[in-house]
Amino acid sequence: SYGLGEIDANKAAVTRERNGNYSLYIEYPVGGSLTPLFKQDMRIKADAGVRTKNQTFYISRIVKDSSHVIKIYAKHISHLTEHMSINHGTNRSRATAMEALRVWSSNLVGGVRFDVWSDIDTIGSIDWKLDKIKTAREALGGVEGSILDIWGGEYEFDNMTIRLHKQLGRTAPTVLEYGRNILSAELDETIESAYTSVLPFATYTPEKPAGDTSDSQPDPVTVTIPENYVDSKYKSLYAHRRIKVVDFSSEFSTDSKKKSIPTADKLRKLATDYMVKNAIGKPKINIKIEYADLAKTLDYAD
C-alpha cells in the first residue's frame, strides 16, 4: 500500500555518518492523528539529503513524556545487519571487494537479503569465524578482518543496496569573496612561539678505558657544535635570534655493538633536517573568516 500517510512532524532530522550511524529522529505532537499508530519496527520513508531520496527507516525506540511530543528514533534499513549473522567459516582468498561483498550477501543468516556493488578491484582475502565476527554489520566494517578493514573505501547505504566506493562524493570547495558571502575576516600573526635558530646537543656516556676494572662509570659527555647554533632560512625576518635548544641524544644508539658517538657534523645535519621538517622560523599566521552559507538562504535555494 501507500502506507498510513505523511507524517506532519514538528521536527525531523536524518544523521548519516561516514561508514557508521544512519538514523532518523522525529518529534511528533501527542494530539496528532498518527499518534496511536506508531509502533516498534514500523517502516518510515524519508529523504536523507539532496541526492539520497526515499530511504527506508525502521522505528527502534519511541519515547512519550510530559512534553506533549512523541520522540521517535529510527534506524536506516541497512542497520538490520546488526541483528543478523554470517555463516561460520565463511572465507574467500584472492577476491576483489565486489566478490567479497557477494560472498557476504550469500552467507547472511537472518532472512533479509541485500544487493551489493563495489568499484574497488584490489585483491584481498576474508576468513570470518563467529568468535571474531559476531554480526553481519561487523563483517562489513568496524572490526579487524572486515571488508572495510581489508579493502577500505566508503559505504553508501541505499535502502536494500549496499555499495562500497573507492570514494563517495567529491570535494566541493566553498568560494569566499568580499561583497558576496564574507561577514568578517581576521588575520592574526604571532612570533610568540617562533624561533630563528636551533642549538643542537647530545649527551652520551663513554666506554671505560681498556683495563679499567673499577665499579665507577665515566662521566656523561655533552657534545655541541663549534658555532653553537644553526640558523633558519627565515632568520632575516626577525630583529634578533630566537634560539631553540634541541636534545638529539635519542638519535644516537646506546647499544654497545652499534654504539654511535655524537659528533659536530652529525649534530649539524640533524639540526638542519629538524629545521626543515618543523619549519623553524616560519611565521605563524592564523586567518579567521566568518561567512554566510548561501546555499541555506532563500535567494540561493535553487
Side-chain angles (χ1 to χ4, degrees):
S1 73
Y2 289 105
L4 300 175
E6 183 175 306
I7 301 175
D8 187 16
N10 294 346
K11 177 181 180 181
V14 171
T15 300
R16 177 172 51 181
E17 298 175 358
R18 180 176 180 266
N19 295 331
N21 174 51
Y22 198 167
S23 60
L24 167 66
Y25 172 72
I26 294 175
E27 291 184 1
Y28 187 80
V30 169
S33 61
L34 297 177
T35 296
L37 302 179
F38 289 120
K39 293 182 174 61
Q40 297 281 359
D41 216 28
M42 181 178 285
R43 279 12 178 203
I44 298 176
K45 287 286 188 178
D47 293 344
V50 176
R51 294 178 296 274
T52 311
K53 304 291 187 180
N54 206 35
Q55 294 299 300
T56 304
F57 297 81
Y58 65 92
I59 296 177
S60 60
R61 181 184 174 200
I62 300 174
V63 177
K64 300 176 182 179
D65 55 28
S66 58
S67 63
H68 303 293
V69 296
I70 298 174
K71 298 172 183 176
I72 300 169
Y73 298 85
K75 291 186 174 183
H76 190 266
I77 195 71
S78 61
H79 278 282
L80 288 177
T81 54
E82 294 176 349
H83 309 288
M84 300 170 64
S85 185
I86 290 287
N87 283 319
H88 177 70
T90 298
N91 63 80
R92 180 71 178 269
S93 60
R94 296 195 55 75
T96 63
M98 180 68 188
E99 291 168 338
L101 283 167
R102 284 174 176 164
V103 171
W104 174 86
S105 179
S106 62
N107 282 275
L108 288 174
V109 177
V112 182
R113 286 290 175 264
F114 290 87
D115 295 323
V116 295
W117 175 92
S118 179
D119 61 351
I120 300 176
D121 53 11
T122 54
I123 302 299
S125 301
I126 56 174
D127 186 11
W128 297 328
K129 295 181 173 58
L130 289 176
D131 59 333
K132 301 292 184 182
I133 306 289
K134 294 181 172 58
T135 69
R137 189 79 174 190
E138 288 184 349
L140 288 177
V143 300
E144 184 179 355
S146 66
I147 291 176
L148 193 62
D149 177 51
I150 295 170
W151 281 273
E154 295 177 84
Y155 279 115
E156 176 190 5
F157 298 104
D158 182 8
N159 287 320
M160 303 303 291
T161 300
I162 297 176
R163 302 182 183 92
L164 182 61
H165 299 262
K166 292 178 182 177
Q167 180 179 351
L168 179 59
R170 61 187 176 86
T171 300
T174 298
V175 177
L176 302 177
E177 294 178 357
Y178 278 111
R180 180 171 177 262
N181 55 358
I182 290 181
L183 303 178
S184 68
E186 176 184 281
L187 176 65
D188 181 3
E189 291 186 69
T190 179
I191 61 171
E192 288 293 327
S193 59
Y195 297 93
T196 66
S197 316
V198 168
L199 190 159
F201 78 94
T203 302
Y204 75 103
T205 302
E207 294 182 354
K208 289 183 180 182
D212 186 349
T213 59
S214 65
D215 294 333
S216 62
Q217 292 290 333
D219 294 331
V221 174
T222 297
V223 179
T224 60
I225 59 177
E227 62 273 30
N228 289 324
Y229 49 77
V230 178
D231 285 332
S232 159
K233 64 180 180 179
Y234 299 104
K235 188 263 174 187
S236 61
L237 298 178
Y238 301 83
H240 305 282
R241 277 192 177 85
R242 305 167 69 90
I243 296 175
K244 181 177 179 65
V245 178
V246 182
D247 183 359
F248 289 106
S249 300
S250 61
E251 298 292 329
F252 298 92
S253 175
T254 57
D255 188 331
S256 59
K257 295 181 180 179
K258 302 178 181 179
K259 195 156 187 175
S260 177
I261 304 299
T263 65
D265 288 341
K266 293 177 181 177
L267 285 173
R268 191 177 294 107
K269 174 68 166 54
L270 287 169
T272 301
D273 292 345
Y274 179 87
M275 283 193 299
V276 172
K277 181 179 179 181
N278 294 279
I280 296 296
K282 189 174 184 179
K284 303 292 190 299
I285 300 175
N286 292 316
I287 299 176
K288 179 181 178 182
I289 296 177
E290 294 185 27
Y291 66 95
D293 185 353
L294 298 181
K296 295 181 180 179
T297 64
L298 292 177
D299 292 342
Y300 286 80
D302 297 325

